[in-house]
Amino acid sequence: MVRMIRESFAVVEPHAEEVAKFFYGMLFSLSPATREMFPANMEVQRSRLLRALVHVVQMVDRPDDLIPFLRQLGRDHRKFGVINVHYEAVGTALLSAVKKFAGAAWTPKVEMAWAEAYTLMARAMQEAADADNGPAYWHATVLEHQRVSWDLAVVRLQPDHPVNYRAGQYVSVETPQRKRLWRYYSPANAPREDGVIEFHIRSVDGGWVSRSVVGHTQAGDTWRIGPPMGRLQVDRTAGSDILMVAGGTGVAPMHAIIDEMAQWGDNPRVHLFYGGRTREDLYDLDNLQRIATTNPWLTVVPVLESDPGVRGVEQGTLADVVTRYGAWEERDVLVCGSPAMIRSTVSRMLVAGTPLDRIKYDPFTLD
């Protein structure tokens, strides 16, 4: 089943954009009510679908990683009002889309493999959603909006009830300025007793939500926050040292984990490579270096791609610099940043000899 799914998906993947358009067109035809769950502009949603598919295909033979991801996804979809009947329409639309673009690679055995795989996926998502007694989402009030630079803001919110996330996880958020345009962001702080959550959000080209958050969010705004997702975490008792690789605002979940670890005196060693194009991109560097001065288990290495005049930093891409130090075979590796940064870094580390089962990253952390 694994081989047939991967071989047929390899044929389909070059047509990713057309696959996503066909899938959503078929879904909305089969179940018109689902259209109201999505924004008018479907560009990000189509990209997110393909990232989810790629992630699932990559993990289809690793159920210990795949099933927790699917269960989190099922709990997260409660915020849309998804019910069991919607899963049938999604399955039909998915298999129809893959079939259309797989061409001769689509055989009865391949169809059976995809059908069996989707049945397992849908069951894991449905069971998790049905078993979740918590809220489908939380309301949270903006306490502070701090403009760090022209394209970056730090936003602090007070949820109406504590959000039960772990340091390193991410959540989906919806803002009043951009209804139904849910985006995934990682809290930059460990859970606090007062429940306050801090987000670091950078405005990106074409980013309807990020540009609105940076430019127009005000204290008093009410956001909606979806259930926590993700598998970036550190087990302090496991006995393994940690390598963290973060690009831009991908440093937020790493900061949250470090924030939590700093509450303890005894920790595994943590080596953090924090990268950007210019020094301005490393907006959190001073804070992290201050933490490192009082926590000898933490080493912070700044990395710049396009700012050769800055001293005290490594020059090059994160993929270049991290692998320049070695393969990190004995470390648990956490990676967060743009999809392109994650792809290039993970690929280079695998070539350098880093074991795949030591590397963790999440597919949705940045849109």
Side-chain angles (χ1 to χ4, degrees):
M1 184 181 78
V2 171
R3 178 183 57 80
M4 287 188 286
I5 287 174
R6 285 182 171 161
E7 288 179 354
S8 56
F9 188 72
V11 176
V12 169
E13 193 172 8
H15 310 283
E17 184 68 21
E18 294 91 340
V19 171
K21 289 179 180 178
F22 185 90
F23 166 81
Y24 281 110
M26 176 68 75
L27 175 62
F28 299 153
S29 175
L30 294 170
S31 181
T34 59
R35 185 65 186 90
E36 294 302 312
M37 300 176 183
F38 300 98
N41 187 323
M42 291 290 293
E43 182 178 352
V44 169
Q45 194 64 37
R46 288 194 293 267
S47 171
R48 191 175 291 163
L49 168 70
L50 267 301
R51 265 186 278 164
L53 272 178
V54 169
H55 199 62
V56 167
V57 170
Q58 287 174 339
M59 295 198 300
V60 71
D61 58 346
R62 293 157 53 195
D64 290 346
D65 291 328
L66 178 59
I67 297 302
F69 168 71
L70 293 172
R71 293 182 67 83
Q72 289 180 349
L73 208 57
R75 288 190 289 268
D76 182 61
H77 276 57
R78 294 171 62 229
K79 68 176 185 276
F80 295 120
V82 171
I83 57 177
N84 288 349
V85 69
H86 295 143
Y87 284 94
E88 298 176 17
V90 168
T92 301
L94 176 61
L95 266 65
S96 297
V98 176
K99 177 180 180 179
K100 178 176 176 61
F101 293 92
W106 189 261
T107 67
K109 288 186 177 180
V110 170
E111 182 172 9
M112 184 176 294
W114 276 92
E116 289 178 0
Y118 179 74
T119 298
L120 295 173
M121 291 163 53
R123 184 181 300 145
M125 293 176 67
Q126 288 173 282
E127 288 176 352
D130 292 342
D132 193 341
N133 296 319
Y137 54 81
W138 291 258
H139 289 101
T141 303
V142 175
L143 299 178
E144 182 182 3
H145 174 270
Q146 178 186 356
R147 194 79 174 259
V148 177
S149 65
W150 70 272
D151 66 344
L152 180 69
V154 172
V155 183
R156 297 180 180 89
L157 299 103
Q158 178 71 67
D160 54 0
H161 296 94
V163 179
N164 58 337
Y165 72 96
R166 300 189 311 267
Q169 288 191 299
Y170 60 96
V171 296
S172 55
V173 304
E174 181 198 52
T175 69
Q177 291 84 7
R178 295 290 185 264
K179 295 287 188 181
R180 292 193 295 172
L181 288 173
W182 290 85
R183 292 294 184 270
Y184 291 108
Y185 296 117
S186 297
N189 61 297
R192 293 171 29 170
E193 288 188 9
D194 62 7
V196 170
I197 300 177
E198 176 177 304
F199 294 107
H200 300 171
I201 299 176
R202 187 180 298 279
S203 174
V204 298
D205 291 340
W208 286 26
V209 175
S210 62
R211 292 174 67 180
S212 173
V213 169
V214 173
H216 304 293
T217 291
Q218 297 180 354
D221 285 352
T222 299
W223 290 16
R224 290 201 293 174
I225 299 178
M229 301 177 65
R231 61 191 191 125
L232 295 185
Q233 60 179 314
V234 169
D235 182 355
R236 297 177 50 258
T237 66
S240 296
D241 290 331
I242 311 299
L243 170 66
M244 296 180 174
V245 186
T249 52
V251 77
M254 310 302 185
H255 193 143
I257 293 170
I258 291 168
D259 182 31
E260 183 170 72
M261 294 177 69
Q263 301 172 27
W264 304 86
D266 185 23
N267 282 305
R269 290 181 300 162
V270 175
H271 208 111
L272 168 63
F273 289 90
Y274 177 26
R277 289 176 294 103
T278 67
R279 176 60 180 86
E280 188 180 45
D281 291 334
L282 307 187
Y283 65 92
D284 202 33
L285 181 59
D286 292 343
N287 292 330
L288 291 165
Q289 288 177 331
R290 273 195 293 271
I291 296 173
T293 59
T294 55
N295 293 276
W297 47 266
L298 175 62
T299 301
V300 180
V301 179
V303 179
L304 296 180
E305 289 184 37
S306 308
D307 211 342
V310 180
R311 295 182 178 179
V313 305
E314 293 278 4
Q315 298 290 340
T317 67
L318 280 164
D320 292 335
V321 174
V322 171
T323 53
R324 193 184 302 158
Y325 276 67
W328 305 94
E329 301 100 322
E330 305 302 320
R331 299 248 182 168
D332 288 338
V333 181
L334 309 181
V335 184
C336 189
S338 69
M341 171 263 170
I342 292 174
R343 280 195 302 271
S344 63
T345 301
V346 172
S347 296
R348 288 284 295 280
M349 292 193 73
L350 293 175
V351 171
T354 311
L356 177 60
D357 61 0
R358 304 300 294 261
I359 303 174
K360 291 183 180 179
Y361 61 92
D362 289 316
F364 294 138
T365 46
L366 293 175
D367 283 317

